[in-house]
Amino acid sequence: MRLLLVEDEFEIQDFVKQSLIEAGYEVDAADDGSAAIQLASKHVYNGLIIDLGLPDQDGIDLILQLRRSGISSPVLILSARRSVDDRVKGLEQGGDDYLTKPFAVAELLARLRNLLRRNLVASEETTRLRILDLELDFISRRASRGGELLNLSPQEFVLLAYLCRHAGRVVTRSMLLSEVWGMRIQPNTNVVDVHVYRLRGKVDTEGREPLIKTLRGIGYVLKDH
């Protein structure tokens, strides 16, 4: 199983990551919220471990942002904030469990196993996504439409996955630049238009109902019904 660890304290990150790897997990690590968003937009994680005291944003805001982007993987909050109010807020704002620092690795692993077990039934939803006749498999990182495999580049798959996770909603060029390409500053670039054009050429081929709609001057919507 693949996990995302978001922790800015190097010693804790290194220690926890090594412990998780020794327990048999595949682990990606991020030092701040921006890096976490980038990784979460490109990969499907079975679970996330998130520290609340991140350098660029509060961990609660990061969890809310991940939930808004359609990521439903279980989140274990790892924090030095110990008050009842902090724990309640963390659980009410999208966290699935809360472990305070300092902690025992054995307890961290036990809580993680419980979260992953409870999420097992829903795991199929996190590895596959279907919008009308368009289907994405996040394990093989392949997409198909009407049963026919689409020949997408890795970047095109990430772009299509983002559009699918926001199907039926307006996705602006700024959102795509930030979440797919990681551009915090929005330069005068046509990178989004070029990639969407190429993607549409593979998804909405002749004879198929167009799914990707352009909203001139705003962005795009992927049809969901």
Side-chain angles (χ1 to χ4, degrees):
M1 289 190 172
R2 190 170 189 171
L3 305 175
L4 175 59
L5 170 64
V6 188
E7 170 62 66
D8 65 313
E9 295 185 50
F10 175 75
E11 291 184 356
I12 296 177
Q13 184 194 107
D14 187 56
F15 172 68
V16 172
K17 182 177 181 179
Q18 188 59 37
S19 298
L20 293 171
I21 290 174
E22 290 174 359
Y25 297 104
E26 184 180 355
V27 184
D28 291 333
D31 299 325
D32 56 32
S34 296
I37 291 293
Q38 284 299 304
L39 287 169
S41 68
K42 296 176 181 176
H43 307 289
V44 175
Y45 293 102
N46 299 98
L48 300 91
I49 302 170
I50 297 177
D51 178 36
L52 295 185
L54 300 174
D56 60 343
Q57 67 182 117
D58 189 275
I60 294 295
D61 294 333
L62 171 61
I63 294 171
L64 290 171
Q65 190 173 349
L66 291 170
R67 295 306 192 211
R68 284 196 296 269
S69 68
I71 295 174
S72 59
S73 304
V75 172
L76 171 61
I77 294 174
L78 196 61
S79 177
R81 302 175 190 173
R82 309 174 63 86
S83 74
V84 172
D85 287 344
D86 286 329
R87 284 179 280 164
V88 169
K89 181 180 179 182
L91 294 172
E92 288 185 341
Q93 298 293 324
D96 297 282
D97 197 0
Y98 197 111
L99 181 62
T100 57
K101 300 176 182 177
F103 58 90
V105 171
E107 184 177 1
L108 170 68
L109 294 176
R111 287 174 180 265
L112 188 59
R113 284 194 295 270
N114 283 339
L115 282 180
L116 297 177
R117 186 165 52 243
R118 291 203 299 266
N119 196 54
L120 191 59
V121 175
S123 63
E124 179 69 12
E125 297 178 6
T126 66
T127 57
R128 288 181 180 272
L129 181 61
R130 186 177 182 84
I131 307 292
L132 300 176
D133 62 346
L134 179 65
E135 184 168 341
L136 275 69
D137 185 328
F138 292 99
I139 299 300
S140 66
R141 302 190 70 73
R142 291 182 175 182
S144 61
R145 185 165 185 199
E148 295 183 13
L149 190 64
L150 304 178
N151 184 26
L152 303 182
S153 69
Q155 187 67 59
E156 288 167 346
F157 182 87
V158 173
L159 174 58
L160 182 58
Y162 190 86
L163 292 172
C164 286
R165 284 173 173 146
H166 296 77
R169 290 175 282 172
V170 176
V171 174
T172 67
R173 289 177 175 79
S174 296
M175 291 167 66
L176 291 171
L177 279 173
S178 173
E179 303 300 335
V180 177
W181 279 272
M183 296 183 182
R184 298 183 185 182
I185 301 175
Q186 299 167 15
N188 184 21
T189 173
N190 65 347
V191 63
V192 172
D193 301 276
V194 170
H195 280 77
V196 171
Y197 176 80
R198 291 175 180 168
L199 178 65
R200 180 184 281 124
K202 298 180 180 181
V203 174
D204 294 338
T205 54
E206 186 175 356
R208 287 173 170 163
E209 181 183 5
L211 295 182
I212 303 174
K213 179 181 179 182
T214 299
L215 302 179
R216 190 176 299 278
I218 301 175
Y220 306 93
V221 174
L222 191 137
K223 184 177 180 180
D224 64 345
H225 65 276

